[in-house]
Amino acid sequence: DDVKRRLRVRAAEHGRSMEEEARDILRPVVSQPGAPRNLGQAIHARFAALGGVDLAITGVPFDQAVTHRAGTRFGPRAIREASTLQAYEPPYGWTTDPLEAIDIVDYGDLAFDYAKVSDFPETLTDHIRGILAAGAASVVLGGDHYITFPILKAYAEKFGPLGVIHFDAHSDLWADDDLSRIDHGTMM
């Protein structure tokens, strides 16, 4: 199609592969020197490779496990919007600029079917598995508390048993022996 043709022409002009050209066009890397110090616009594209990326920031706009007061699905967008207010300079008083020391990419939001809530946990676990398989770590913008469980599952599969330190104004945790239950209070 026309997009592939234009990409092929542009790649040939720059002496690069189509994959390299597409990565640079589509992937908003925020860790390049002089780049804006924010996460940029939310994107909904997936990339064939996260090669060379140290940290993938991804959004999970899920709030179907709350018992009341939905709205945490807007969290990833709100965090990205708030990040545009940050200064371009490195953090004051720091001897190093973390955005120059590590390669960070906004990997967009997880795509999932809101009508198939039972598929959500495995969809999120697969998403995080893909990031980890590429050699990157993840920072996940949520979403209600439930998203913690599928994320930890992917990390435990790769790294083995994990320890978790949970900071919250109130724990929102309760015992539930039914692991198939999707509930914001049973995420650990």
Side-chain angles (χ1 to χ4, degrees), residues 145 165-173 187-188:
H145 289 157
I165 300 173
H166 180 206
F167 293 97
D168 200 330
H170 52 277
S171 67
D172 282 339
L173 298 175
M187 78 280 194
M188 288 190 242

Side-chain angles (χ1 to χ4, degrees), residues 19 22-28 43-51 105-108:
E19 292 79 17
R23 182 184 65 235
D24 286 352
I25 291 170
L26 297 174
R27 186 176 78 181
I43 58 171
H44 300 280
R46 294 292 169 261
F47 306 100
L50 284 168
V105 64
D106 185 334
Y107 197 53

Side-chain angles (χ1 to χ4, degrees), residues 119-135:
D119 292 349
F120 173 77
E122 194 60 26
T123 301
L124 176 52
T125 300
D126 284 343
H127 180 68
I128 300 300
R129 281 181 190 128
I131 292 170
L132 296 174

Side-chain angles (χ1 to χ4, degrees), residues 13 16 20 64-65 84 91 102 110 143-144:
E13 288 173 354
R16 302 169 60 178
E20 291 171 317
Q64 290 181 270
T84 64
I102 58 176
L110 171 70
D144 70 41

Side-chain angles (χ1 to χ4, degrees), residues 12-97:
E13 288 173 354
H14 295 125
R16 302 169 60 178
S17 72
M18 285 179 57
E19 292 79 17
E20 291 171 317
E21 196 67 30
R23 182 184 65 235
D24 286 352
I25 291 170
L26 297 174
R27 186 176 78 181
V29 177
V30 298
S31 60
Q32 295 176 351
R37 301 296 192 209
N38 60 58
L39 300 178
Q41 296 298 315
I43 58 171
H44 300 280
R46 294 292 169 261
F47 306 100
L50 284 168
V53 172
D54 300 310
L55 184 65
I57 299 170
T58 189
V60 181
F62 180 82
D63 64 0
Q64 290 181 270
V66 299
T67 49
H68 63 285
R69 297 191 60 163
T72 57
R73 68 183 173 274
F74 302 117
R77 181 185 323 156
I79 294 167
R80 287 182 176 104
E81 287 174 5
S83 76
T84 64
L85 302 174
Q86 299 301 308
Y88 289 91
E89 306 83 42
Y92 177 77
W94 289 31
T95 59
T96 185
D97 183 353

